Amino acid sequence: MPLTDPTFAANKNSNWYNREADAVLTEFGTMIDGLSAEEAARRLTNDGANELKEGKRTNPFHILFRQFKSILIWILIAASILSGVLGEVFDAIAILIIILLNTGIGFTEEFKAEKSIASLRKMSAPQAKVLRDGKIASIPATNIVIGDILVFEAGDLIAADGRVLKAVALKCNESALTGESIPAEKNPGVLPQEEIALGDRKNMVFMGTSVAAGSGHAVIVATAMNTELGSIALLLQEVDKEQKTPLQIKLDSFGRILVWATLGIVAFSFGLGLLRGMNILDLFMTSVSLAIAAVPEGLSVVVTIALALGVMRMARRHALVRKLPAVEILGSTSVICTDKTGTLTVGEMTVRVLHSAGSSFEVSGNGYSPDGEVKFEGKIPDAPRSESLRELAIVLLACNNAQLVQKEGIWNVIGDPTEGALLVAALKTGLTIEQIEKDMPRYFEIPFDSDRKRRTVIRKMLNGALKAFINGAPDVLLEKCTKVLATDGVREMTDVDRQEILAQNTMMAKQALRVLGSAYRDVDTVSTDLLSADNVEHDLVFVGLSGMYDPPRKEAKDAIAKCVAAGIRVVMITGDHPDTAIAIARELGIASSDDQSLTGIELDKKSDAELLQCIRKTSVYARVTAGNKLRIIRALKADHAVVAMTGDGVNDAPAIKDADIGIAMGTSGTEVTKQAADMIITDDNFSTIVAAVAEGRGIYDNIRKTLQYLLAGNTGELLLMTASVLIGLPVPLLPIHLLWINLVTDGPPALCLAGDSIDPEVMKNPPRNSSENIANGNFILTMIVTGFLTATVAFCVYWYMLQTGTVEAARTYAFTVLVFAELLRSFGARSTDKPVWQIPFFSNSKLFIVVCVSIALHVWSQHNTILGKFLKTTSVSFFDGFLLLAIGSIPFVILEIWKAVRQKSICTSKSVVSG
């Protein structure tokens, strides 16, 4: 799969942003009063409806057939058919039940139609206002065509991509598309640069975004799948998510080995039997028995249920898993790519520094008290002693349209996020909104304008005089100031004052703070006709600066530190400004003081080979598009990393879908992102992702030890059967015995092992290599030794009973000792390196109960006529039963002593090395 997506590159719009508005109108043959109805109808016929097209839907039958891809399933199907042909109806039915159970669980989990494109379509505005024949007409958004002039105001959804023609205090919320945390200011001016990141295209509006404030007109330059949102829809359609997980690959590989080994053993035994002149039906029955002994029938079900148990545990920790394989992938995750806004940060603008009269004041806290009063966690200790700071707070409150509203004990800001942040900071100085409104009621307002870059509110003082309060860009505001508020009062502004204020502005900007300046002046006139920007915004008194940013989550830094300790690399991928991104990354520990960010434009200039080299040392990517994010994910995967991608915006969806595991934010995430994800974090907290990784690692460990437990049991059964056939003895176990052992005896303990408690030190180890085989050398050695010990005690009992009793009695005794050995061995299977006395015995109480009940059930079966007939066993006395239980404990005791000796040897070796 190429790292660069050709479809995305082909659908990138022309650079309308660096062309004059009149030139764009001419390009599309559009007059300033819009298209005619006839021309719009013609273009709609030629170009098609303005709607996103859905990709190919998932076929339920395709999902069903996919459940039969496993070789193990086909072995079981063959064994079931053969058992039925030979008249072993009970065996055939039991195997079919296993197949149906496994298929049903898999089908249920996968039968979820892809809804990503459908969710994208919901983001399109159902109605839109356009100029047609010189009049504003409301039409279905699907009928918009290229060249239409779109009319919009605060609260409207943008129905297609457009070049801004007019803008009055226009701001658009583009966070879902660009990742930018604050509304983007829009204006019709030309942007001369050839290449500009999506978030910096100030004269463009995009489908799926919304108007946060102001109003405007735009000429439509792209519709449907040619829009930026359409490009993301195309990426979602092309991403292949039917990639197998590492565990699925390993189990398939193991299954193929098991198939050939089973076929080899069966063929050898069948040939040997023919040479000995055995009855052909007996040979078929022996072959079925060997096949059943070799295949762990409950493996697929146990793995599925183990993953399902992990899903339930993770749900209690605010992580909802949509697809079961995601649980296993979490355990091998080596890189977590995360969005910034709302994931690592709180997703709200907060003032951190107020600067006035040469002094800076740190603003702490960002929470509100739910007691019904406007009280805040944060405060400014020096505020009561600083008259200049109080004056700055008055300007912030007086020139502000935001409101604080309490709902269910939580304070929320209504209005522009920037003004909300300034409002909260001013309230932390001790002032109140009611005090401002009472002492200086609002009289007139000059709205924000992108050309002026400032906003003015005029209020009437108690003495009847008017006073203007202005907030705006510091550099532009300074040009209108002739005085400055100093510690000793208002005085004339000098060049030194200007340089100091600009230097402070630069220093705050380098700290990734968005800086606004504040000023005021007394107004002489009372006639609103004369209260224009030119008449009011001059000879201002400069009061101070406010620095704000989206603060990191308190728990994010600790979570990232845990990732580092666990050998997991964290990479920030955001649409935000590079300075903001690198500052937050350094504060959280993602990047060092020497690290730099890489922008989307810089990334586009790199070849695939250059990008592969770059990703190993770059931890922060800023101003990136959906295509950039997808390319980064593919590069990391090409570098053999197991990648988790988190995000909440539409622009995150393609990368989330293509990552090994996609993680969406449940609270702030868009529906598009959630549908593309494998897992949803319900509390939008990065630390929850780290907790989910720990769960994933523990679940994989549980699956591995459960697999070892099952395979060791099958190895013992296979060795017992093969040894008896080679010697020429009757088959020691019938197919129904093997099915009983594999399902009733081994199954319940295996499920308890799959749900075992997770090692608390699991995050102190590096991620396991995704290419590492699940059955390594130690795994295979333990499996063979365990199987040999189990087979040996069962064979000895079988041999002895053949000498002293009937074949039926010998089979019953061998069957019983094998059952007891398997059940007792489950206690030791909880750990591959710790002996059983070092594990809290009742920390898995379910396993203890299951083993006791299974032993009691088996003993009862030997004294119950119906069960005895079903299992084809004879009666066993209670004394012989206790004797067989003691014999069955021999493998368990030897294995635990072996683990203790091996553990002591390892500790001794480490002591020698450290000494």
Side-chain angles (χ1 to χ4, degrees), residues 258-556:
L258 197 59
V259 165
W260 290 112
T262 301
L263 290 175
I265 293 172
V266 169
F268 175 77
S269 301
F270 194 87
L272 187 63
L274 286 176
L275 290 176
R276 289 175 175 171
M278 290 180 62
N279 182 279
I280 193 71
L281 289 178
D282 290 340
L283 279 177
F284 272 118
M285 186 56 62
T286 300
S287 299
V288 171
S289 298
L290 285 171
I292 294 174
V295 179
E297 290 85 357
L299 178 58
S300 296
V301 175
V302 167
V303 170
T304 302
I305 293 177
L307 294 173
L309 290 173
V311 167
M312 293 170 61
R313 282 204 303 267
M314 291 167 74
R316 291 193 290 267
R317 303 185 71 169
H318 306 289
L320 300 180
V321 176
R322 296 182 64 246
K323 301 171 185 176
L324 284 185
V327 179
E328 181 263 325
I329 301 175
L330 276 170
S332 56
T333 298
S334 57
V335 177
I336 298 178
C337 295
T338 175
D339 188 24
K340 177 186 73 69
T341 304
T343 307
L344 296 175
T345 64
V346 297
E348 298 174 357
M349 294 302 293
T350 302
V351 174
R352 296 299 292 269
V353 178
L354 293 175
H355 181 85
S356 182
S359 298
S360 293
F361 303 85
E362 183 176 345
V363 184
S364 65
N366 61 338
Y368 317 116
S369 173
D371 60 2
E373 299 179 24
V374 185
K375 295 180 179 178
F376 305 94
E377 295 174 3
K379 59 183 180 180
I380 310 174
D382 296 330
R385 301 196 300 272
S386 174
E387 184 62 29
S388 62
L389 182 59
R390 185 176 182 278
E391 289 295 322
L392 175 58
I394 289 174
V395 179
L396 297 181
L397 282 176
C399 185
N400 203 307
N401 282 339
Q403 299 178 38
L404 275 179
V405 177
Q406 190 183 38
K407 185 178 180 181
E408 298 179 354
I410 299 176
W411 287 95
N412 295 298
V413 171
I414 295 179
D416 184 84
T418 299
E419 292 196 347
L422 297 175
L423 172 65
V424 171
L427 293 174
K428 289 178 182 178
T429 66
L431 293 176
T432 65
I433 301 172
E434 293 77 12
Q435 182 180 351
I436 295 295
E437 294 298 333
K438 178 182 177 183
D439 295 344
M440 49 184 79
R442 183 185 295 256
Y443 182 78
F444 190 76
E445 177 177 344
I446 304 174
F448 175 88
D449 182 270
S450 55
D451 292 330
R452 291 167 36 245
K453 296 186 177 180
R454 54 189 178 271
R455 179 169 174 268
T456 298
V457 172
I458 300 172
R459 292 180 177 268
K460 181 175 287 189
M461 312 307 287
L462 292 178
N463 60 6
L466 297 181
K467 193 170 186 176
F469 300 92
I470 306 99
N471 286 325
D475 52 345
V476 176
L477 196 62
L478 271 176
E479 295 176 1
K480 302 295 182 179
C481 293
T482 57
K483 297 180 178 66
V484 63
L485 179 64
T487 54
D488 55 352
V490 178
R491 59 175 172 79
E492 293 295 322
M493 179 177 286
T494 65
D495 290 340
V496 174
D497 292 328
R498 293 181 188 277
Q499 292 172 4
E500 288 179 350
I501 294 171
L502 289 173
Q504 180 67 30
N505 177 43
T506 301
M507 185 181 72
M508 293 169 70
K510 287 183 177 179
Q511 295 172 352
L513 297 177
R514 184 180 181 223
V515 187
L516 284 181
S518 297
Y520 69 82
R521 77 176 287 255
D522 295 326
V523 179
D524 299 328
T525 181
V526 294
S527 173
T528 55
D529 294 336
L530 299 176
L531 293 178
S532 64
D534 291 337
N535 291 336
V536 174
E537 295 172 348
H538 61 85
D539 296 323
L540 306 180
V541 178
F542 188 85
V543 180
L545 301 170
S546 303
M548 68 195 83
Y549 84 135
D550 186 6
R553 287 180 177 269
K554 295 178 181 178
E555 58 280 353

Side-chain angles (χ1 to χ4, degrees), residues 571-574 598 603 614-615 618-624 632:
V571 175
M572 180 192 290
I573 306 178
T574 178
L598 184 69
L603 191 148
C614 186
I615 59 167
T618 303
S619 297
V620 181
Y621 298 87
R623 278 290 189 259
V624 292
I632 293 168

Side-chain angles (χ1 to χ4, degrees), residues 38-50:
E38 292 79 12
E39 176 62 18
R42 187 187 68 78
R43 295 187 183 190
L44 183 63
T45 302
N46 290 339
D47 299 339
N50 175 40

Side-chain angles (χ1 to χ4, degrees), residues 47-62:
D47 299 339
N50 175 40
E51 59 183 355
L52 302 182
K53 296 178 175 59
E54 295 190 64
K56 185 179 179 181
R57 292 183 178 271
T58 304
N59 190 315
F61 292 103
H62 176 67

